[in-house]
Amino acid sequence: MKSFIGSLVYCLSILLLDLCESYDLNNPSYISAQSYAQRRNNALPHRTLNPAATDSQCRSRPLDLVFIIDSSRSVRPGEFEKVKIFLADMVDTLDVGPDATRVAVVNYASTVKIEFLLKSHLTKDTIKQAITRIEPLAAGTMTGMAIKKAMDEAFTEKSGARPKSKNISKVAIIVTDGRPQDQVEEVSAAARASGIEIYAVGVDRADMRSLKLMASNPLEDHVFYVETYGVIEKLTSKFRETLCGMDACAMGHDCEHICVSSGSSYYCQCRKGYILNEDQKTCALKQVKVEIVQDPCMCEARLAFQRQTQTSIQDLNAKLAAVTRKVEQMENMLGRM
């Protein structure tokens, strides 16, 4: 009995330790805020990964990557440090270099500051060192202004972005925990139209509608949410899946015939002679409807031939009848002689 109670106490202590690491138990309002955010945002789908498949199927691809991070007053100093750890972890997952991925950081609150450009640091170590030196700006949340500055100044060839002819993907990752104090819809649409793929990461009380207005489509692949800054590092593996050039079909699919990768997702196709069913996964044999169409010209020609044949037969019958009568007359004359 004593050993059972001892085991139970040990298990409870491990559980409490895990809770303490995930939540600030000294601040009850913080816990309620987390719960509120979880309830309010539970409609957003949570993407899951197969870690083994991610490691084996990941293919590095070059990016021009700009982080746009919120450091307004709502982001506490300790939380901002968590954001910097997240950025450093992200850099570790990428293939960084002059001909590989280049990284820049745009920091914003009421003002916007480009911490460093795409051309500033071209190794992982120098980028991570630059990240450690970033300080929060505090005050407001001008997210739209930050997106515009990134588009106009960070994603330019002058700042280190590769020309369009190089076909290098341009990616922006926005991290925020609040509601923008300026307009984001139009500037985000302009950024996407210029070729920038936008991912929006919301933390705690982040406004989900604003995240969706900023992000690229499909939203389920470009909008992320975490309950607290304490768990933001968990997004590293999710972004690694998306940014490393994952073959979605190789990760596993349920297409009956053909799987076609499309970014981080896939769609199904059928082999020749089959059509895709309503479930968009299985295939059915294409039904071929055979319809016989009579050529009206052929019908008319056939009728004319039939009429001509009948007339000819009638003429032959008449001639045969005439010959038969003459033969009978000759036989009668011979009989009288």
Side-chain angles (χ1 to χ4, degrees), residues 44-45 47 61 170-175 192 196-202 208 210-225 235 238-239 242-243 262-265:
L44 186 68
R47 302 170 62 204
R61 64 184 175 111
K170 290 177 171 53
V171 177
I173 298 178
I174 303 169
V175 181
R192 295 193 300 267
I196 301 171
E197 185 177 10
I198 301 178
Y199 292 85
V201 177
M208 195 58 59
S210 298
L211 296 177
K212 293 177 179 179
L213 289 176
M214 293 186 288
S216 298
N217 285 316
L219 294 178
E220 60 267 23
D221 291 332
H222 292 84
V223 177
F224 295 87
Y225 172 78
L235 290 180
K238 294 190 177 185
F239 275 113
T242 302
L243 299 179
S262 177
S264 59
S265 59

Side-chain angles (χ1 to χ4, degrees), residues 17-28:
L17 180 62
D18 184 58
L19 286 171
C20 290
E21 289 178 351
S22 300
Y23 297 94
D24 184 1
L25 297 180
N26 296 320
N27 189 344

Side-chain angles (χ1 to χ4, degrees), residues 79-142:
E79 294 171 341
F80 191 69
E81 290 302 313
K82 292 285 187 181
V83 175
K84 290 160 64 173
I85 293 172
F86 166 64
L87 298 189
D89 288 346
M90 283 289 299
V91 170
D92 274 332
T93 67
L94 301 170
D95 183 13
V96 175
D99 298 319
T101 293
R102 301 181 183 182
V103 178
V105 174
V106 174
N107 187 11
Y108 77 94
S110 293
T111 59
V112 180
K113 178 184 179 183
I114 298 180
E115 296 289 347
F116 56 87
L117 300 170
L118 292 169
K119 67 180 181 181
S120 301
H121 306 289
L122 300 176
T123 66
K124 290 185 180 184
D125 288 340
T126 56
I127 291 173
K128 290 192 291 183
Q129 289 171 11
I131 289 172
T132 63
R133 294 192 291 268
I134 298 175
E135 297 293 335
L137 300 175
T141 310
M142 304 299 286

